[in-house]
Each structure stands twice: as C-alpha cells, then as structure tokens.
C-alpha cells in the first residue's frame, strides 16, 4: 500500500519564479521528503534519448545572430551528489541542475554566465528537458487526493501536457506596455541574472523584490507629452503602473507554466489544479 502523495506547498516556477520562496527551510524539507520517498523507486525509464536536443524560445544572441538550439544530458550519480550538496534552497538546486544538465546552448558550453543570460522561461524549459533525459517524459502520481471529492487518484502527466507559452517573435527583445494617462513603458523580459538579484533580497519584502525587477527590466517610460525618462526609479512608478508592468512580464515570459497544470477528475468532473514543482519533477532522484 503506497502512502498518499503529499504535494509540497511551495512553487519555484512560473508566476512566482521571481518571488523566491515563502519559506526556504520548509521547501527544503518538502523536497527532501519527496526525494527520499522515491529514491528506491526503480530504474529510470528513458523514452527517447533523441529528445536531448531542444529549441529554446529566445536563446542567446552573438554578433547579431540568434542561437536557440540547446543540448541537455541525462543526470548521473555525480550530478545527484552535487544537487544534494546544493540542498539549502530551491534556487541553488535549480541552478545546479542547469549547470550540470545542460551541455550546450548554440555553440557554447553551459556555465554560470550563460545560465544567467537566459530568459527565466528558457531556463525552465531546459530543466524540463533535463528531467525528460533523466527520468523520461511521464510524471507518475499515485494516490493523489482529489481536493474536491477526496478520492485518491492515479495519474500520468506527460511533460508536454504542461501548458507552454511561446514568444510571438523570438527576436523581439523590447516591448511597449501601455500605462495610465497615455504613458508607455519599454521593457525587457527577466533573465536568470534578474532572478538571482531578486532572490538576493533576503528580507522577504515583496514590494522591494518587485522594485528590483522593475528597476532592471524597465528601460524607459514615455509620457503622453512625449517626454522620456530612461531607467526610471521603480519607486517613482505608480502602484497601478507597477502592477501593469509586472503582469506583462509574467504573462509574456515564455516557457512551461508549471503552476498552471490542471486535469479533470473523471469521478467528480471537477478541474483540479496540480502545480508541478521542482520536487515533483525530480522526485526520482
Ligand atoms: Zn474529484
């Protein structure tokens, strides 16, 4: 008899990727619990090693040319040890996964600098590919309690069933966001470096974290009268405009939407939200 799976109550992807974690200690405990549970669950099943090559949404730009092809590899025992050693925060685990599991982006080997340059969405897509290379395409859930009717559900979720956002034009790096009173902000999408800067704000002040993102990603604001402010202080933007810009950055970021996965439970007919966390993706380790 398998114990019911208790989903970890944290999420390090998608909408909240910029926000860090409510409680890193708790998250780690949840991760460890899940990782331990399935440690001896058996040999990984590799569906198709040919899937180690993916095309990123944005990729990297070198001398005016864009490179989107990336190669990942299956994680080994040595990687598992390195990831366990990274253990104190989900962000460090994520970073270690990227540095070890990604071989190349374009013609360049993965390193810290390259990882920091990638859009958050490309990083999350790479982690999905590493998961596929290591444990296969299917996430298996057993004895998952339905939040609506309580019945225990067995569920197989192929990775490609997770909602995915594409960039309409991968080479467009700046976007205009309409603000109040006829103004408009020109912004760029957040990268790994931006994410690291936000997570470096340790006091858990969400407004400060928002300011950090805005300070980095808002390139200029044009008022209705045509005057332009380059790199405006994030604290000088109105609360409403800040919200509008942050929502745009979240909605436009490409890649897998791990937090948005839902399924319809046959028995009760209800749509159930099942956020796919890092711990769920890699619980076979
Ligand atoms: Zn149900």
């Amino acid at each position: 008899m398998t114990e019911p799976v208790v989903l970890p109550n944290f999420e390090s992807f998608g909408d909240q990727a910029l926000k860090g974690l409510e409680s890193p200690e708790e998250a780690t405990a949840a991760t460890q619990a899940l990782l331990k549970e399935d440690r001896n669950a058996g040999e990984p099943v590799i569906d198709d090693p040919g899937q180690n090559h993916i095309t990123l949404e944005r990729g990297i730009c070198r001398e005016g040319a864009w490179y989107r092809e990336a190669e990942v590899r299956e994680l080994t025992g040595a990687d598992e040890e390195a990831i366990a050693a990274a253990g104190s925060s989900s962000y460090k685990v994520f970073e270690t996964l990227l540095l070890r599991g990604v071989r190349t982006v374009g013609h360049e080997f993965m390193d810290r600098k390259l990882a920091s340059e990638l859009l958050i969405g490309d990083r999350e897509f790479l982690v999905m590919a590493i998961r596929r290379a290591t444990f296969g395409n299917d996430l298996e859930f057993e004895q998952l309690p339905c939040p609506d009717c309580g019945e225990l559900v067995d569920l197989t979720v192929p990775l490609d069933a997770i909602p995915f956002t594409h960039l309409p034009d991968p080479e467009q790096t700046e976007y205009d966001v309409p603000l109040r009173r006829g103004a408009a902000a020109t912004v760029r999408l957040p990268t790994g470096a931006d994410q690291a800067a936000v997570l470096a704000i340790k006091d858990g002040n969400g407004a400060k974290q928002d300011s950090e993102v805005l300070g980095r990603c808002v390139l200029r604001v044009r008022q209705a009268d045509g005057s332009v402010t380059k790199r405006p202080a994030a604290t000088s933007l109105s609360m409403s405009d800040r919200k509008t810009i942050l929502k745009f950055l979240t909605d436009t970021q490409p890649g897998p939407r791990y937090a948005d996965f839902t399924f319809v439970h046959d028995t009760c007919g209800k749509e159930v939200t099942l956020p796919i966390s890092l711990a769920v993706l890699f619980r076979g380790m």
Side-chain angles (χ1 to χ4, degrees):
M1 177 76 194
T2 320
E3 290 290 305
V5 176
V6 179
L7 290 177
N9 64 344
F10 71 96
E11 184 49 61
S12 62
F13 289 124
D15 293 0
Q16 294 177 42
L18 281 167
K19 286 291 192 174
L21 298 163
E22 299 277 320
S23 161
E25 296 76 21
E26 200 181 313
T28 306
T31 311
Q32 295 304 331
L34 269 173
L35 295 183
K36 265 193 198 124
E37 182 184 314
D38 282 351
R39 190 169 289 277
N40 300 314
E43 292 299 306
V45 180
I46 307 305
D47 293 309
D48 178 4
Q51 292 186 358
N52 291 359
H53 294 261
I54 60 167
T55 303
L56 300 176
E57 285 291 309
R58 168 65 55 78
I60 55 173
C61 187
R62 296 292 181 265
E63 292 166 358
W66 287 93
Y67 299 91
R68 291 195 186 81
E69 302 308 312
E71 186 185 354
V72 300
R73 65 172 178 79
E74 181 185 351
L75 297 175
T76 64
D79 301 319
E80 189 179 353
E81 285 185 12
I83 290 160
S88 66
S89 81
S90 284
Y91 180 77
K92 278 189 189 154
V93 169
F94 189 92
E95 191 76 6
T96 307
L97 277 169
L98 274 184
L99 292 175
R100 301 192 68 106
V102 180
R103 285 196 70 246
T104 53
V105 175
H107 301 299
E108 296 180 20
F109 287 104
M110 182 50 100
D111 62 17
R112 237 169 247 287
K113 189 172 168 295
L114 180 55
S116 73
E117 191 186 335
L118 297 172
L119 286 187
I120 290 173
D122 276 346
R123 290 160 57 92
E124 296 191 343
F125 188 28
L126 284 164
V127 161
M128 176 184 276
I130 296 166
R131 198 282 174 195
R132 184 182 284 121
T134 306
F135 295 115
N137 192 52
D138 289 340
L139 299 170
E140 305 281 358
F141 295 89
E142 278 181 10
Q143 309 275 299
L144 186 72
C146 171
D148 276 298
C149 70
E151 192 182 75
L152 299 179
V153 187
D154 290 346
L155 188 70
T156 299
V157 179
L159 291 172
D160 34 32
I162 294 169
F164 195 101
T165 300
H166 295 282
L167 285 177
D169 175 1
E171 296 184 15
Q172 181 184 352
T173 55
E174 294 185 4
Y175 304 83
D176 285 330
V177 184
L179 304 178
R180 294 182 71 202
R181 298 190 183 88
T186 303
V187 303
R188 64 169 180 79
L189 297 180
T191 62
D194 301 317
Q195 195 175 23
V198 168
L199 292 175
I201 297 172
K202 294 286 184 206
D203 61 6
N205 183 330
K208 261 194 210 169
Q209 294 182 328
D210 288 347
S211 293
E212 183 70 24
V213 179
L214 294 165
R216 298 174 66 98
C217 294
V218 178
L219 304 174
R220 54 193 173 272
V221 171
R222 192 186 61 249
Q223 302 300 334
D225 66 6
S227 63
V228 173
T229 311
K230 282 186 182 170
R231 297 260 166 206
T235 47
S236 72
L237 298 167
S238 77
M239 278 177 71
S240 153
D241 286 346
R242 282 166 63 100
K243 233 176 146 178
T244 302
I245 296 168
L246 289 166
K247 183 172 185 312
F248 178 89
L249 296 178
T250 302
D251 291 350
T252 311
Q253 183 72 241
R257 301 290 168 137
Y258 294 104
D260 295 346
F261 177 74
T262 63
F263 68 96
V264 175
H265 183 207
D266 290 340
T267 309
C268 67
K270 292 278 169 55
E271 187 173 20
V272 177
T273 302
L274 176 60
I276 309 294
S277 68
L278 198 56
V280 167
L281 282 182
F282 287 93
R283 70 177 181 220
M285 284 185 69

